[in-house]
C-alpha cells in the first residue's frame, strides 16, 4: 500500500467552521491591489485546499508515471492512485459500479462524448433532443452539432421571468420523437436549481434518456445518481476544489455498454491489428490516450476533502451566504438581480443601472473582489433577459458574510464613481 497525501486526508474536520476551512486554502491569504482577496468567482473555477495541492505535489514528486501499462513500481503506484480516485468518485455520487465512472477532461468533453457516442448513432432525421433555455453553451453546442450531423431537431424548453423551468413546460415538449433530455442541475448564469428528479422521472416514464449537467451542482449539494435515476450525469473537477482539466461522465452501465467508443487510441483497446481492433471494457473503452493523471489524483483528494467536512453544515452556510447576498444587493439603488428562482444555489447575477458589468468587475477587482462579468457562456439567457452581460458572484464553502459586506460597499463605490450614488 502506498502512502500518499490523497490517502491520508481522511480525518474529519468534525464541525463546520469557516475560519478553519479557510486556513486550508492558501490562496485566500493573499491580497489583491492591497486588499485581502475576496474570491467570489467559484462558479467559473474554485480554489484548491491543501489536501488537493499536497496530493498533486506528492504524486508529481514521488509517483508520476504512465498508468495501466507499466510493471515497474512507479507505474503501479500511479495506477493505484488513479483508480483509487475513480472509486472515490463512484462513492461520491453513489454510482453502482466503478465501470460507470469515465474520467475525462471536464463537463464539456463529457457532453460531447454522449452527443457523439450515444446520440449520433441513435438519431434519425426528425428525432428530437430536448434542452432548456438556461443551458451553458457546453450543453447546447454539442447537441446542435449532432443535430446537424443527423437531421435531428433541437427543442428548447422555455424559462420564465424568474429564470425557472417548469416541469409541465418540459413535459409538454416531450413527444414521440424525443430521444434525450439534457438539462442543467443548477444554472451557471442564474443559479436556478432545476427539478431534476421530477424531470428524470417524467422522461423515464416516456422512454426518454436523460443527461444532467451537474457542473454547478456537485460542489453545493450531495448528488445521488442512483436516486436520480438519470442515464448520464456530468461534472468538472475544477468547480469542486480540484484542478482544471479533469471531469467525470457518469453513465448507467447498461447504456455505456451499448455505446461505441468515441475517441480511438491507446488504453481503450484490448488488441490491435491492421485487420481490426477489439475494445477494452468499461470504463477504459472511453478513456483513450494518457489522461490528466495528476488532475485525477487531485479530484480524488478534493472528494476526500469534501467527505472530511460536515457537508450539510457547509450547504447551510452557502445557503445563508446566498440569502445574505440577495439581501445586500437588494439595498443597492438601481441594481436588478437576474435570476430570482425560488430554489437557487451557489450564485447571484445582477445588472446595475448605468454601470457596464465589465467596468463594475474592474472596480470590484480594485477592491480585491473577484467576480465574473460577461455572458457566462449562456448567451440565450442574456438574450432572454435583454441584457448584454451580468455581473455574477458565486460562492464556495470558504466565503464569508464579511466578504459580501465588502461587495456591497464596493458596489456603492462604483455607483458614486459613475455619478449615480445618492448624495
Ligand atoms: N455546464 C455548466 C453549467 C457550467 O457552469 C460549465 C462551466 O462553467 C460547463 C458546463 C462547462 O464546464 P467545463 O468548462 O469545465 O467543461
Amino acid at each position: 500500500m502506498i502512502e500518499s497525501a490523497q490517502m491520508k486526508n481522511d480525518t474529519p474536520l468534525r464541525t463546520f467552521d469557516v475560519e478553519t476551512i479557510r486556513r486550508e486554502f492558501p490562496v485566500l491569504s493573499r491580497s489583491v491591489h492591497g486588499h485581502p482577496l475576496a474570491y467570489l468567482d467559484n462558479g467559473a473555477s474554485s480554489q484548491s485546499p491543501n489536501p488537493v495541492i499536497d496530493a498533486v505535489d506528492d504524486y508529481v514528486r514521488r509517483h508520476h508515471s504512465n498508468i495501466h501499462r507499466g510493471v515497474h513500481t512507479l507505474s503501479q503506484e500511479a495506477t493505484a492512485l488513479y483508480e483509487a480516485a475513480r472509486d472515490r468518485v463512484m462513492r461520491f455520487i453513489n454510482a453502482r459500479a466503478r465501470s460507470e465512472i469515465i474520467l475525462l477532461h471536464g463537463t464539456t468533453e463529457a457532453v460531447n462524448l454522449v452527443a457523439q457516442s450515444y446520440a449520433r448513432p441513435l438519431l434519425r432525421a426528425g428525432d428530437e433532443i430536448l434542452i432548456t433555455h438556461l443551458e451553458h453553451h457546453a450543453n447546447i453546442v454539442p447537441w446542435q452539432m449532432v443535430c446537424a450531423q443527423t437531421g435531428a431537431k433541437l427543442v428548447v424548453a422555455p424559462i420564465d421571468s424568474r429564470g425557472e423551468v417548469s416541469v409541465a413546460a418540459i413535459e409538454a415538449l416531450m413527444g414521440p420523437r424525443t430521444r434525450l433530455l439534457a438539462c442543467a442541475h443548477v444554472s451557471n448564469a442564474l443559479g436556478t436549481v432545476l427539478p431534476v428528479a421530477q424531470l428524470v422521472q417524467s422522461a423515464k416514464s416516456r422512454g426518454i434518456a436523460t443527461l444532467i449537467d451537474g457542473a454547478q451542482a456537485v460542489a453545493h449539494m450531495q448528488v445521488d445518481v442512483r436516486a436520480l435515476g438519470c442515464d448520464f450525469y456530468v461534472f468538472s473537477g475544477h468547480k469542486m476544489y480540484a484542478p482544471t482539466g479533469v471531469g467525470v461522465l457518469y453513465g448507467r452501465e447498461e447504456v455505456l455498454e451499448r455505446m461505441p467508443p468515441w475517441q480511438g487510441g491507446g488504453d481503450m483497446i484490448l488488441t490491435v491489428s491492421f485487420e481490426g481492433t477489439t475494445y477494452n471494457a468499461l470504463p477504459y473503452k472511453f478513456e483513450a490516450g494518457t489522461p490528466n493523471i495528476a488532475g485525477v489524483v487531485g479530484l480524488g483528494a478534493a472528494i476526500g476533502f469534501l467527505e472530511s467536512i460536515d457537508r450539510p453544515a457547509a450547504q447551510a452556510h452557502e445557503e445563508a451566504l446566498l440569502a445574505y447576498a440577495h439581501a445586500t444587493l437588494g439595498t443597492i439603488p438601481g441594481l436588478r438581480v437576474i435570476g430570482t428562482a425560488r430554489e437557487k444555489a451557489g450564485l447571484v447575477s445582477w445588472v446595475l443601472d448605468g454601470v457596464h458589468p465589465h467596468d463594475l468587475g474592474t472596480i470590484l477587482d480594485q477592491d480585491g473582489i473577484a467576480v465574473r462579468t460577461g455572458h457566462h457562456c449562456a448567451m440565450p439567457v442574456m438574450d432572454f433577459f435583454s441584457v448584454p452581460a451580468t455581473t455574477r458572484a458565486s460562492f464556495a464553502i470558504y466565503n464569508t458574510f464579511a466578504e459580501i459586506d465588502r461587495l456591497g460597499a464596493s458596489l456603492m463605490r462604483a455607483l458614486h464613481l459613475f455619478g449615480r450614488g445618492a448624495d
Side-chain angles (χ1 to χ4, degrees), residues 18-319:
V18 73
E19 287 310 321
T20 310
I21 296 279
R22 287 179 70 81
R23 279 195 287 278
E24 291 289 340
F25 290 82
V27 75
L28 299 180
S29 62
R30 68 162 286 184
S31 58
V32 171
H33 301 306
H35 301 277
L37 169 66
Y39 189 77
L40 302 178
D41 193 21
N42 299 285
S45 203
S46 53
Q47 301 295 342
S48 287
N50 283 318
V52 171
I53 298 166
D54 292 347
V56 173
D57 180 83
D58 179 65
Y59 166 75
V60 174
R61 284 177 192 278
R62 301 188 59 230
H63 309 293
H64 171 68
S65 183
N66 214 327
I67 54 169
H68 297 148
R69 46 189 90 161
V71 292
H72 64 79
T73 301
L74 261 61
S75 177
Q76 290 185 10
E77 288 176 358
T79 303
L81 288 167
Y82 185 87
E83 294 301 332
R86 191 192 309 276
D87 289 339
R88 275 200 148 142
V89 173
M90 175 189 72
R91 289 194 298 272
F92 181 63
I93 57 170
N94 195 31
R96 201 179 53 79
R98 63 197 320 280
S99 52
E100 300 186 317
I101 304 299
I102 317 294
L103 298 167
L104 301 167
H105 292 121
T107 307
T108 303
E109 189 182 19
V111 179
N112 277 280
L113 190 158
V114 175
Q116 291 302 315
S117 178
Y118 175 79
R120 191 172 179 179
L122 177 89
L123 292 176
R124 301 286 171 267
D127 283 348
E128 294 172 0
I129 301 280
L130 179 56
I131 61 169
T132 82
H133 200 113
L134 54 62
E135 302 306 318
H136 186 283
H137 297 164
N139 201 26
I140 301 175
V141 184
W143 305 119
Q144 288 176 325
M145 290 164 72
V146 77
C147 284
Q149 287 157 343
T150 59
K153 203 171 115 197
L154 192 65
V155 176
V156 182
I159 50 176
D160 64 19
S161 58
R162 290 172 179 268
E164 288 183 352
V165 185
S166 90
V167 175
I170 298 194
E171 282 175 342
L173 293 169
M174 290 177 178
R177 301 301 301 267
T178 312
R179 297 286 169 254
L180 182 107
L181 166 69
C183 70
H185 195 162
V186 176
S187 155
N188 71 305
L190 303 168
T192 310
V193 180
L194 281 80
V196 285
Q198 277 169 279
L199 291 174
V200 169
Q201 209 183 12
S202 215
K204 264 174 99 164
S205 69
R206 292 165 170 84
I208 299 168
T210 46
L211 176 143
I212 307 297
D213 171 358
Q216 296 293 338
V218 282
H220 304 294
M221 56 191 72
Q222 277 161 310
V223 170
D224 181 335
V225 290
R226 265 191 283 178
L228 276 179
C230 53
D231 294 293
F232 304 103
Y233 194 97
V234 298
F235 57 99
S236 299
H238 69 101
K239 297 179 198 289
M240 50 168 286
Y241 313 113
T244 53
V246 58
V248 175
L249 164 63
Y250 156 81
R252 284 199 305 116
E253 188 174 60
E254 60 190 272
V255 182
L256 291 175
E257 282 291 3
R258 290 199 301 269
M259 289 161 54
W262 179 38
Q263 295 183 322
D267 237 26
M268 51 74 73
I269 51 87
L270 285 179
T271 63
V272 177
S273 72
F274 291 118
E275 287 68 47
T277 290
T278 55
Y279 301 126
N280 208 338
L282 288 174
Y284 312 107
K285 180 171 87 171
F286 292 111
E287 294 180 3
T290 303
N292 178 0
I293 307 168
V296 168
V297 169
L299 175 63
I303 292 172
F305 174 75
L306 282 170
E307 286 168 352
S308 77
I309 65 172
D310 180 345
R311 281 204 85 193
Q315 191 171 336
H317 172 70
E318 285 191 11
E319 282 165 7

Side-chain angles (χ1 to χ4, degrees), residues 225-420:
V225 290
R226 265 191 283 178
L228 276 179
C230 53
D231 294 293
F232 304 103
Y233 194 97
V234 298
F235 57 99
S236 299
H238 69 101
K239 297 179 198 289
M240 50 168 286
Y241 313 113
T244 53
V246 58
V248 175
L249 164 63
Y250 156 81
R252 284 199 305 116
E253 188 174 60
E254 60 190 272
V255 182
L256 291 175
E257 282 291 3
R258 290 199 301 269
M259 289 161 54
W262 179 38
Q263 295 183 322
D267 237 26
M268 51 74 73
I269 51 87
L270 285 179
T271 63
V272 177
S273 72
F274 291 118
E275 287 68 47
T277 290
T278 55
Y279 301 126
N280 208 338
L282 288 174
Y284 312 107
K285 180 171 87 171
F286 292 111
E287 294 180 3
T290 303
N292 178 0
I293 307 168
V296 168
V297 169
L299 175 63
I303 292 172
F305 174 75
L306 282 170
E307 286 168 352
S308 77
I309 65 172
D310 180 345
R311 281 204 85 193
Q315 191 171 336
H317 172 70
E318 285 191 11
E319 282 165 7
L321 285 174
L322 188 58
Y324 190 65
H326 275 101
T328 304
L329 295 176
T331 66
I332 310 292
L335 186 145
R336 178 162 69 108
V337 170
I338 304 291
T340 49
R342 281 159 291 189
E343 231 195 299
K344 286 183 66 169
L347 62 96
V348 55
S349 283
W350 68 87
V351 288
L352 188 56
D353 266 356
V355 189
H356 192 279
H358 291 314
D359 294 330
L360 189 56
T362 306
I363 293 166
L364 295 178
D365 180 58
Q366 285 165 357
D367 291 339
I369 301 167
V371 293
R372 193 70 163 184
T373 60
H375 54 62
H376 314 292
C377 295
M379 284 182 168
V381 173
M382 302 298 120
D383 289 344
F384 179 83
F385 286 98
S386 303
V387 293
T390 71
T391 307
R392 180 187 75 182
S394 50
F395 305 107
I397 52 175
Y398 43 68
N399 288 124
T400 65
F401 297 95
E403 288 174 326
I404 294 170
D405 288 338
R406 283 178 54 199
L407 172 65
S410 195
L411 288 169
M412 289 306 291
R413 188 171 83 80
L415 279 181
H416 284 286
L417 280 174
F418 278 78
R420 299 198 157 249

